[in-house]
Amino acid sequence: MRFMGIWLCMTACMPALAQTGSAAEPVRYLGGVYVDQEVHDGRLRPAVGVESYQVMRANRSRPGLGDGFGWTYNHAAMLAHWRGRFYLQYLSNPVGEHEPPGQTLLVTSADGRQWGKPRVAFPPYPPPAGADQALPPKTTGYMMHQRMGFFVAPNGRLLTVAFYGFAPDPFGQGGIGRVVREIRADGSFGPIHFLRYNTGTRWDEGNTAFPFYKRSPDADFVAACDALLADRLMTAQWRDEDPNAGDAMPGPCSAVSYYHRADGKVVGVCKNAMTTITKDHGRTWSKPVRAPTLITNNAKIWGQRTSDGQYALVYNPVLFGSHRWPLAISTGSDGTIFDTLLGVNGEVPPRRFIGKSKDFGAQYMRGIAEGNGDPGDGALWVVYSVNKEDIWISRIPVPVLDGVQQGMGGWNVYSPLWAPVRQTGRELELRDKDPYDYGRAVRVFPESKAARLRFRVKAGSVGRDGMEVEVTDRYGNRPIRLVFATDGWLRAMDGGKTVGLRRYRTGEWMDLALDVRTAGSDHGRFSLSAGGKVLLADAQFAEAVRSVERVSFRTGAYRNQPDRRLDRYDPRLKDLEGADVPVAESVFHVSDVRLEPR
């Protein structure tokens, strides 16, 4: 009877005519791979060749070393590409989420890897005289909140858009309106205008801080704004702040992103795996339904068609809303069925500053929306915040690959501003002066039970941190662990013990060779030589694995904190000491990483 009850419940709960690809189930994940929620990378294979770069590192006490403002809540990044440059905007508050004042900052880059200093695109709201007397009850001030940031108009103008409202609830009756300004080709800004006032409120041109866009003497700017207001897909992204707008998407479908399928229909994907379809460019949408196979939480999800005609979803594939890791990508061929799940960024550095609703991990990702430009390199670019205090961008090569069949894949790079990873030809440089983070570079090779790896290492300088070299399996297990320690010794793990191998000197290249075999009853062995001289023979793995497929270089120790049990509001948590001051810098060079046939 128990099993009959389960069967009846399952059948009764299934939507009628739940045909995959229809409005009843727009999206289905069939990959069969799910994450281990106890480790930062989820034990996912990485998408080969992903480069992740820190755009802005928050700094409270020395703002000149950060964004120039010293505010430590930074979140909700948006991205566009226009006239050969990337444009990125994000929200910024002094300490925590929905705590005023709030502003929107803008930063640009020519290549997506090196970014300039942020500038204020929309300042904290300057209320006109008398406006504060009409603040709603329990309001703490003014803030910004937006789900959409850019629009490349048909006439070539680039608009950036933001939203002003009341803290701590800027939605609906708590909203004032959406503002817009032009970004000119020379990088300067046009004046701020209100684009639309929240419906059902008393706000209008007579009692708000900026003029209505129709007042602009620039006819092309007005035409660009008109085109944005007429684009129902773009304005569908506004429903969270103004759910009563006549052209808004139906709820519940928060923070929608969308893509065109080959059949011309548009799929919308939202927080909490809610999905919907429009057949008429956003004029009407199907009733949003949850995709039961898509495991995610109340963080954003990004969907788009990639340059090779495939489709991708980028999201946090876990149910923990306050612990958002890893950042992953799922791909498919038709925009309906997604059958892979790979890692994009599995690093979670310590949260340096406490603040309201500052969830852990890489989150709230956004790519370049349809019509908002194309970098021309074929890659998929996504921006996001980490711990809601730093802004990051990842470049995901297309096609999205889960491994390599021969040779070595491109470098997977994790590059903080204070621990940058730079590649020049065949040489990689890892610098590190960050007190709480590290730089990391990973190279994928064909999954092997036996392998010979060769690489060269040179220490340029050794500051507070050394460098760790690891060979891992497909799940990120670390059977081989080498350490270039700060005391000048090269050490290795032999089974459960650490052994010293030899001293290394700064400025001296070391030619290293690792012979690895995983087969056998002794759970795996390896040997290490330098310049042809054996340093360690027939050493035991630190942990048993069936195969190996990656080599990792990291300027810091392995970490798995924070973990799922850490409460973001734990009263014992404090701002981390010394987070705003660089430490003594270490520099390591890696060259000629190669796999030799066995």
Side-chain angles (χ1 to χ4, degrees):
M1 292 298 294
R2 178 182 175 217
F3 294 106
M4 179 63 73
I6 294 173
W7 181 84
L8 289 173
C9 176
M10 289 175 64
T11 56
C13 294
M14 288 181 180
L17 301 175
Q19 178 62 46
T20 301
S22 71
E25 190 189 34
V27 169
R28 174 170 286 220
Y29 169 67
L30 292 180
V33 174
Y34 295 93
V35 306
D36 180 346
Q37 300 176 359
E38 294 301 315
V39 292
H40 289 168
D41 62 9
R43 301 198 187 281
L44 295 178
R45 271 181 160 164
V48 176
V50 173
E51 303 169 52
S52 299
Y53 297 96
Q54 193 174 50
V55 174
M56 189 283 299
R57 184 188 189 277
N59 193 309
R60 178 171 291 165
S61 64
R62 299 191 178 189
L65 299 179
D67 62 2
F69 301 95
W71 294 11
T72 54
Y73 170 85
N74 301 286
H75 193 40
M78 311 285 179
L79 188 64
H81 192 272
W82 183 69
R83 294 194 176 188
R85 294 194 70 83
F86 288 91
Y87 292 82
L88 188 160
Q89 64 147 252
Y90 62 93
L91 301 176
S92 186
N93 297 350
V95 177
E97 186 165 279
H98 289 205
E99 293 180 332
Q103 62 185 349
T104 296
L105 302 179
L106 181 105
V107 59
T108 72
S109 170
D111 63 2
R113 297 171 175 87
Q114 302 288 329
W115 293 79
K117 281 284 188 179
R119 295 181 292 154
V120 176
F122 297 96
Y125 186 68
D132 285 331
Q133 299 175 8
L135 290 173
K138 300 182 180 179
T139 291
T140 56
Y142 300 94
M143 61 170 285
M144 307 205 78
H145 185 281
Q146 59 257 9
R147 304 292 198 201
M148 172 256 187
F150 296 101
F151 179 66
V152 178
N155 64 6
R157 296 291 183 101
L158 175 61
L159 305 181
T160 185
V161 182
F163 184 85
Y164 284 115
F166 298 104
D169 185 4
F171 311 106
Q173 295 299 305
I176 299 174
R178 203 162 307 273
V179 285
V180 61
R181 71 190 311 181
E182 182 182 358
I183 302 174
R184 302 188 180 104
D186 63 0
S188 63
F189 295 132
I192 300 173
H193 292 79
F194 269 98
L195 181 63
R196 185 162 70 183
Y197 306 100
N198 257 33
T199 55
T201 67
R202 65 180 184 82
W203 303 109
D204 57 32
E205 190 175 12
N207 56 19
T208 49
F210 305 107
F212 191 51
Y213 82 95
K214 289 287 190 181
R215 300 289 187 184
S216 172
D218 186 338
D220 287 337
F221 170 73
V222 174
C225 293
D226 287 339
L228 171 54
L229 290 168
D231 190 326
R232 296 298 183 90
L233 292 178
M234 283 288 178
T235 59
Q237 300 172 89
W238 299 355
R239 69 162 303 277
D240 286 341
E241 293 94 7
D242 190 2
N244 297 317
D247 57 351
M249 168 181 285
C253 205
S254 177
V256 66
S257 67
Y258 57 86
Y259 55 85
H260 279 79
R261 290 193 321 211
D263 62 4
K265 296 177 183 178
V266 177
V267 177
V269 289
C270 309
K271 289 184 174 186
N272 295 301
M274 299 302 292
T275 55
T276 180
I277 290 178
T278 177
K279 303 177 183 179
D280 53 14
H281 201 76
R283 289 176 174 79
T284 60
W285 294 84
S286 65
K287 180 181 178 181
V289 295
R290 183 178 179 89
T293 57
L294 200 61
I295 304 301
T296 188
N297 53 54
N298 62 338
K300 290 179 181 178
I301 181 170
W302 176 256
Q304 80 170 68
R305 190 174 186 179
T306 53
S307 61
D308 60 350
Q310 303 290 295
Y311 294 84
L313 300 175
V314 185
Y315 61 107
N316 301 118
V318 291
L319 295 177
F320 290 85
S322 59
H323 298 74
R324 295 168 174 173
W325 68 71
L327 179 60
I329 184 170
S330 183
T331 60
S333 61
D334 62 0
T336 296
I337 300 296
F338 293 84
D339 54 11
T340 68
L341 190 62
L342 304 171
V344 173
N345 188 343
E347 299 288 347
V348 185
R351 189 185 65 182
R352 304 187 304 280
F353 307 100
I354 60 172
K356 179 184 175 183
S357 298
K358 288 190 66 178
D359 305 308
F360 303 105
Q363 56 194 283
Y364 261 48
M365 62 295 305
R366 277 293 180 259
I368 299 175
E370 294 180 355
N372 274 355
D374 181 358
D377 62 352
L380 191 167
W381 293 80
V382 289
V383 291
Y384 47 93
S385 72
V386 171
N387 298 332
K388 295 190 180 181
E389 61 190 21
D390 302 323
I391 303 300
W392 281 75
I393 188 167
S394 288
R395 180 189 184 274
I396 307 171
V398 173
V400 181
L401 300 177
D402 65 350
V404 296
Q405 300 303 312
Q406 59 184 2
M408 306 288 276
W411 285 104
N412 283 61
V413 169
Y414 173 77
S415 181
L417 283 171
W418 286 7
V421 179
R422 298 287 182 262
Q423 184 176 3
T424 304
R426 299 172 64 182
E427 185 175 323
L428 207 67
E429 180 188 70
L430 297 93
R431 311 182 75 93
D432 190 350
K433 60 181 180 181
D434 197 305
Y436 290 103
D437 209 351
Y438 52 61
R440 190 181 185 194
V442 176
R443 203 81 181 268
V444 179
F445 54 86
E447 188 174 13
S448 309
K449 291 185 177 298
R452 167 170 282 189
L453 290 166
R454 288 189 176 274
F455 51 91
R456 305 176 72 218
V457 173
K458 180 179 71 173
S461 62
V462 181
R464 199 201 66 171
D465 296 301
M467 185 175 72
E468 300 195 359
V469 183
E470 296 169 344
V471 178
T472 78
D473 71 351
R474 62 176 297 170
Y475 305 108
N477 296 309
R478 303 173 296 129
I480 299 174
R481 308 173 190 179
L482 312 178
V483 179
F484 288 83
T486 55
D487 63 1
W489 273 90
L490 171 62
R491 297 186 173 91
M493 289 293 294
D494 182 356
K497 63 181 182 295
T498 301
V499 295
L501 303 181
R502 58 158 283 185
R503 296 192 67 86
Y504 69 90
R505 295 190 294 269
T506 58
E508 176 186 74
W509 282 102
M510 293 181 63
D511 293 290
L512 299 173
L514 272 169
D515 285 288
V516 184
R517 63 181 189 276
T518 64
S521 59
D522 57 359
H523 308 302
R525 296 272 178 168
F526 73 97
S527 298
L528 175 68
S529 61
K533 180 180 179 180
V534 175
L535 301 181
L536 187 63
D538 207 33
Q540 296 182 15
F541 280 3
E543 53 187 332
V545 296
R546 292 183 181 275
S547 61
V548 291
E549 67 169 27
R550 305 196 289 272
V551 58
S552 165
F553 301 87
R554 185 184 58 235
T555 59
Y558 173 83
R559 66 186 174 208
N560 200 39
Q561 293 291 329
D563 61 23
R564 301 286 182 193
R565 285 157 288 283
L566 181 62
D567 182 357
R568 62 181 177 175
Y569 292 130
D570 189 326
R572 295 169 296 179
L573 296 177
K574 307 293 182 184
D575 290 353
L576 299 183
E577 293 184 4
D580 292 345
V581 182
V583 297
E585 186 176 52
S586 296
V587 181
F588 286 88
H589 301 266
V590 178
S591 180
D592 297 325
V593 180
R594 61 191 186 276
L595 177 73
E596 292 188 351
R598 288 296 306 269

